[in-house]
Amino acid sequence: MPAELPQSILFCCDHNAVRSPMAEGIMKKFYGTGTYVQSAGCYNDLEIDGFSIAVCEEIGVELSRHRSRSFDEMARFGDDLSSFDLIVALSSASQKRALDLTKFYHLTVDYWPIMDPTGIGETREQKLNAYRQCRDQIIDNLQRRFGPPKANP
């Protein structure tokens, strides 16, 4: 039985350039605007990845305007982690950081071990296929947790 959609959800990964922006964009497309959705990374040292933009465009998810941000930047701008109902970590490093940052809050940190597609493949098509696998893992996890898309996919 799918879980109720949370009021707010934060997706996190290492750099907020591949996995967590994909999850943020797909969540918004599949489940609409009733849930406040954000993403962050342990670090903000990379721009949104072009392959992430390309494979999400294939399913109608726009990522080109995404601006990467870190947990530290969230704190500086007043986005308190305690205001989220659910944090979903997509990498082990972000899971550790999220658990450290939320140890005094009563909120759930889920861990979805999503593959990191960066560095996989040599040709453009091989790289795109790796990013598609990553995207599809995110979709599978979203649907397992929240059920089929509610918005127009």
Side-chain angles (χ1 to χ4, degrees):
M1 181 85 179
E4 286 287 311
L5 287 171
Q7 293 277 302
S8 57
I9 185 169
L10 175 72
F11 292 100
C12 55
C13 65
D14 296 351
H15 301 277
N16 193 222
V18 177
R19 292 169 284 186
S20 56
M22 288 170 74
E24 176 185 351
I26 294 167
M27 176 86 184
K28 288 174 179 174
K29 172 141 182 92
F30 280 17
Y31 303 104
T33 56
T35 298
Y36 177 70
V37 184
Q38 289 293 307
S39 65
C42 295
Y43 313 99
N44 172 21
D45 55 354
L46 299 172
E47 286 301 310
I48 181 76
D49 187 289
F51 288 109
S52 292
I53 293 170
V55 300
C56 282
E57 229 167 55
E58 293 174 351
I59 61 166
V61 173
E62 167 60 46
L63 291 186
S64 64
R65 290 190 298 275
H66 176 79
R67 295 294 161 252
S68 299
R69 65 187 190 148
S70 66
F71 286 118
D72 294 339
E73 286 170 309
M74 284 182 66
R76 272 201 306 279
F77 294 119
D79 244 339
D80 193 349
L81 290 184
S82 66
S83 66
F84 289 94
D85 295 323
L86 174 64
I87 296 176
V88 176
L90 306 174
S91 69
S92 56
S94 65
Q95 177 195 30
K96 182 181 179 336
R97 185 78 196 278
L99 290 170
D100 287 347
L101 292 170
T102 61
K103 62 183 163 208
F104 300 114
Y105 303 129
H106 182 72
L107 64 92
T108 303
V109 177
D110 278 1
Y111 175 50
W112 298 352
I114 303 296
M115 68 176 277
D116 179 359
T118 58
I120 297 175
E122 293 180 25
T123 67
R124 177 173 172 72
E125 197 53 38
Q126 288 170 336
K127 289 178 182 301
L128 284 169
N129 283 334
Y131 279 76
R132 287 180 188 118
Q133 281 185 289
C134 173
R135 176 198 67 201
D136 295 346
Q137 283 182 350
I138 291 167
I139 290 170
D140 290 346
N141 277 279
L142 285 170
Q143 291 184 346
R144 196 170 318 134
R145 178 71 192 259
F146 302 118
K150 303 200 181 339
N152 299 323

